[in-house]
């Protein structure tokens, strides 16, 4: 990777409910980088919530907005940040390749049962989770089984508390910076 002139952005990828935003906020506080949440950025740019975006324009439109916002926030002309992405940003192969080239990619990992526990009462904002929660999560986990594997680093968020997880990620990030 050579010697970067400025720190690499830290990019969090992972399934819904694996703690990307929580870990991202902690990483930002500890690293001094600014924090951005891709979903919030999309909502601000569109002037509507994620469920409204899906309902009004459909998923493909949302994926286009997601891909564009991701490139904007991680542009080399943008100050390096900690970015929490949405769980589906990895669906497009060109996004995966682009992310890997533009920062230190960290995969947040949690067990299926823990994911369901976290999402069960927290899915109003997630249009892909309508219906029976276990069936939806199992189907999406299956569809996305290997899509997060390209990350530079993986961290369990169900075995470590957020502070310890953040310290582990920062140690790995500093080694490559
Ligand atoms: C999605 C995950 C969501 C959000 C949208 C679609 C997905 O983000 O981007 O509802 O396809 O997995 P979180 O992973 O932050 O819940």
């Amino acid at each position: 990777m050579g010697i970067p002139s400025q720190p690499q952005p830290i990019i969090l990828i992972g399934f819904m409910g694996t703690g990307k935003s929580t870990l991202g906020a902690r990483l930002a506080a500890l690293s001094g980088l600014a924090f951005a949440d891709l979903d919030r950025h999309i909502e601000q740019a569109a002037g509507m919530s994620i469920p409204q975006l899906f309902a009004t324009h459909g998923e493909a439109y949302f994926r286009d907005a997601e891909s564009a916002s991701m490139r904007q926030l991680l542009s080399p002309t943008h100050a390096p940040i900690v970015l929490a992405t949405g769980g589906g940003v990895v669906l497009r192969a060109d996004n995966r390749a682009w992310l890997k080239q533009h920062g230190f990619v960290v995969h947040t990992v949690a067990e299926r049962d823990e994911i369901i526990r976290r999402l069960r009462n927290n899915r109003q904002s997630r249009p892909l989770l309508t219906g029976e929660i276990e069936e939806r999560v199992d189907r999406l986990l299956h569809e996305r089984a290997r899509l997060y594997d390209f990350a530079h680093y993986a961290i369990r968020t169900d075995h470590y508390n957020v502070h310890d997880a953040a310290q582990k990620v920062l140690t790995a990030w500093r080694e490559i910076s």
Side-chain angles (χ1 to χ4, degrees), residues 14-18 20-21 37 39-40 42 50-51 54 59 62-63 66 84-89 91 119 125-129 140 144 148:
F15 198 81
M16 291 176 271
T18 56
K20 301 180 292 289
S21 300
D37 184 292
D39 282 342
R40 301 294 84 76
I42 296 164
I50 303 283
F54 269 70
E59 182 172 350
F62 170 77
R63 296 296 172 205
E66 180 176 56
T85 63
V89 77
L91 289 170
L119 292 175
S125 62
R126 293 181 168 103
L128 296 183
L129 293 184
L140 288 169
R144 299 176 178 182
Y148 302 102

Side-chain angles (χ1 to χ4, degrees), residues 3-21:
I3 302 171
S5 54
Q6 57 179 359
Q8 292 277 313
I10 303 175
I11 303 163
L12 300 174
I13 63 165
F15 198 81
M16 291 176 271
T18 56
K20 301 180 292 289
S21 300

Side-chain angles (χ1 to χ4, degrees), residues 42-86:
I42 296 164
E43 290 180 329
Q44 278 165 14
M48 63 177 86
S49 70
I50 303 283
Q52 285 173 326
L53 257 174
F54 269 70
T56 310
H57 299 292
E59 182 172 350
Y61 181 97
F62 170 77
R63 296 296 172 205
D64 287 344
E66 180 176 56
S67 302
S69 285
M70 173 199 103
R71 282 166 172 76
Q72 187 186 337
L73 287 168
L74 295 171
S75 151
T77 60
H78 195 288
I81 58 171
V82 178
L83 179 67
T85 63

